[in-house]
Amino acid sequence: MAQGVMVFAEVAGGELSAIAKEMLGVGRRLADALGEPLQAAVVGSGVGDVAQEAIYHGADVAYTAENDALAQYQTMSYTDAMETVVKQVEPNVLVVGMSDNGRDLGPRLAFRLNTGLASDCVSLSINAESKLMEAIRPVSGGNAMATVVIEDARPQMATVRGKTAEPAARDDARSGSVEAIAVEIDAASLTTTIVERVKAESEGVRLEDAEIVISGGRGFKGPDDFYGILEPCAKTMNGAVGASRAAVDEGWVPTQMQVGLTGKIVSPKLYIACAISGAAQHMAGCGYSKTIVAVNRDPDAPIYQRANIGVVGDYTKVLPAFHQKVAELLQ
Ligand SMILES: Cc1cc2nc3c(=O)[nH]c(=O)nc-3n(C[C@H](O)[C@H](O)[C@H](O)COP(=O)(O)OP(=O)(O)OC[C@H]3O[C@@H](n4cnc5c(N)ncnc54)[C@H](O)[C@@H]3O)c2cc1C
């Protein structure tokens, strides 16, 4: 019988990735609700230390699938490795974080395992009566949420967006077992080869990692205030600049700055939304922030229903005054 909650514990730069820590947090809650063990699947080359880290982050057992051909993520080799691990361990639930790699791996793996996949989820829980996983995912452009249940196939599989859950806390007093699973990878059969990795150039703190994000929307009426008002304010606070899709679609700022359903998900301590109305699709990207401050000249703007603090006013007046005060306080 399928047993346990398995998390694909993705490795990034030789370490347990940030999204893996979040998924171990999700998996731990599911495992506790089911009364079953939390299993981490660690795929790569030389990943013994990562497996131990997965245990420190909540796993009861870490299964390693090691092979030189798995040193870097590749669709086919990782699908083969995970298929071997899952078929051997037979987990009840399988959780994959939606990094670029997880997004790629999830559907292909589900097909190989002949199981159902709830993709792009924002929350997973266990139904107390049926003991089945309930996976919640946005539908209809983020205007509604659907609950997906996989009744018969195993494992019950879900891909989960990053930044939608608290990462598992590290506890190096935790103990668990590390078990190696032999995986055969026929390097000659791989149809793709990674020839080069190019790191994207970036200045300042990354939007996804920032503790403070300050975003602008269509109310800005042009790019000048993004770079003249918003960016200096963000720099003073060591924050990152985000934008609504409307501002991106206008061509004022690059796509990488878009926050929302079809942009990035952020969960900073402080999210300041300036001249953004608060459409469901935007809030899908910033709703996990600890504190949301809205600056809008329309007192009836929908964003005030979600904001913790609302400032009704023109951003061209509010933001420079706010920036000046912050700069004084930080001196
Ligand atoms: C499938 C789908 C996916 C989507 N994905 C995303 C996404 O990822 N991210 C996203 O953001 N949107 C997304 N959208 C679009 C979303 O529905 C909204 O259209 C968009 O978020 C609106 O952007 P906005 O709030 O900047 O603009 P508007 O809705 O036009 O709001 C502008 C706001 O600025 C205020 N304002 C104007 N001037 C000032 C001023 N001087 N001072 C203060 N306030 C002022 C106005 O009162 C208004 O509230 C998506 C839509 C769909 C259908």
Side-chain angles (χ1 to χ4, degrees):
M1 203 181 85
Q3 260 296 95
V5 174
M6 180 175 282
V7 166
F8 170 61
E10 187 175 349
V11 182
E15 293 181 357
L16 186 66
S17 64
I19 195 157
K21 292 173 189 170
E22 290 169 33
M23 294 308 118
L24 285 165
V26 172
R28 186 69 263 170
R29 285 185 284 281
L30 299 180
D32 289 344
L34 283 166
E36 295 183 15
L38 177 61
Q39 307 149 339
V42 190
V43 179
S45 172
V47 291
D49 289 351
V50 182
Q52 190 55 53
E53 267 310 304
I55 287 169
Y56 293 155
H57 284 87
D60 299 304
V61 192
Y63 295 99
T64 56
E66 298 199 72
N67 192 300
D68 288 349
L70 296 167
Q72 289 189 330
Y73 179 84
Q74 270 184 298
T75 309
M76 298 313 290
S77 56
Y78 268 60
T79 308
D80 288 351
M82 279 301 289
E83 182 186 4
T84 304
V85 172
V86 173
K87 284 189 171 163
Q88 196 158 318
V89 178
E90 294 186 35
N92 182 9
V93 170
L94 175 58
V95 178
V96 177
M98 280 187 68
S99 61
D100 289 346
N101 295 341
R103 197 187 294 262
D104 177 61
L105 177 71
R108 193 176 285 265
L109 184 58
F111 179 78
R112 286 270 192 96
L113 298 169
N114 197 24
T115 189
L117 172 71
S119 62
D120 201 13
C121 300
V122 293
S123 159
L124 303 180
S125 61
I126 300 294
N127 182 293
E129 264 176 41
S130 67
K131 295 288 178 195
L132 291 173
M133 179 175 74
E134 293 185 338
I136 297 185
R137 61 189 300 271
V139 289
S140 302
N143 287 305
M145 292 291 185
T147 303
V148 179
V149 174
I150 297 163
E151 290 185 331
D152 299 320
R154 292 292 177 274
Q156 302 165 76
M157 203 176 153
T159 54
V160 179
R161 290 186 191 189
K163 307 283 179 191
T164 54
E166 283 291 320
R170 187 179 191 276
D171 175 4
D172 57 15
R174 272 188 61 81
S175 61
S177 59
V178 177
E179 294 181 26
I181 292 188
V183 283
E184 298 289 325
I185 306 288
D186 177 9
S189 73
L190 299 178
T191 50
T192 54
T193 316
I194 295 171
V195 282
E196 194 188 1
R197 278 181 177 271
V198 182
K199 223 173 169 199
E201 304 244 338
S202 66
E203 235 183 66
V205 54
R206 265 168 35 109
L207 185 55
E208 302 92 311
D209 302 331
E211 293 203 334
I212 298 175
V213 174
I214 176 161
S215 292
R218 183 154 34 205
F220 267 51
K221 298 192 186 68
D224 292 352
D225 287 352
F226 267 93
Y227 298 105
I229 298 181
L230 211 58
E231 197 172 68
C233 188
K235 265 193 183 152
T236 301
M237 297 189 290
N238 195 29
V241 178
S244 72
R245 176 157 147 184
V248 171
D249 286 350
E250 294 284 353
W252 300 340
V253 288
T255 322
Q256 301 94 280
M257 279 165 65
Q258 184 180 319
V259 171
L261 186 69
T262 43
K264 293 195 169 135
I265 297 182
V266 296
S267 61
K269 288 187 178 155
L270 175 63
Y271 187 80
I272 308 177
C274 305
I276 291 177
S277 59
Q281 296 86 1
H282 185 79
M283 301 316 290
C286 65
Y288 303 96
S289 308
K290 303 276 176 302
T291 302
I292 299 175
V293 177
V295 180
N296 200 302
R297 68 177 180 192
D298 174 6
D300 296 323
I303 195 154
Y304 289 125
Q305 287 163 21
R306 297 288 301 276
N308 304 91
I309 298 169
V311 182
V312 180
D314 191 315
Y315 75 90
T316 56
K317 298 200 171 66
V318 175
L319 271 184
F322 172 70
H323 185 190
Q324 195 185 341
K325 193 75 197 164
V326 170
E328 278 170 25
L329 290 170
L330 290 177
Q331 256 177 10

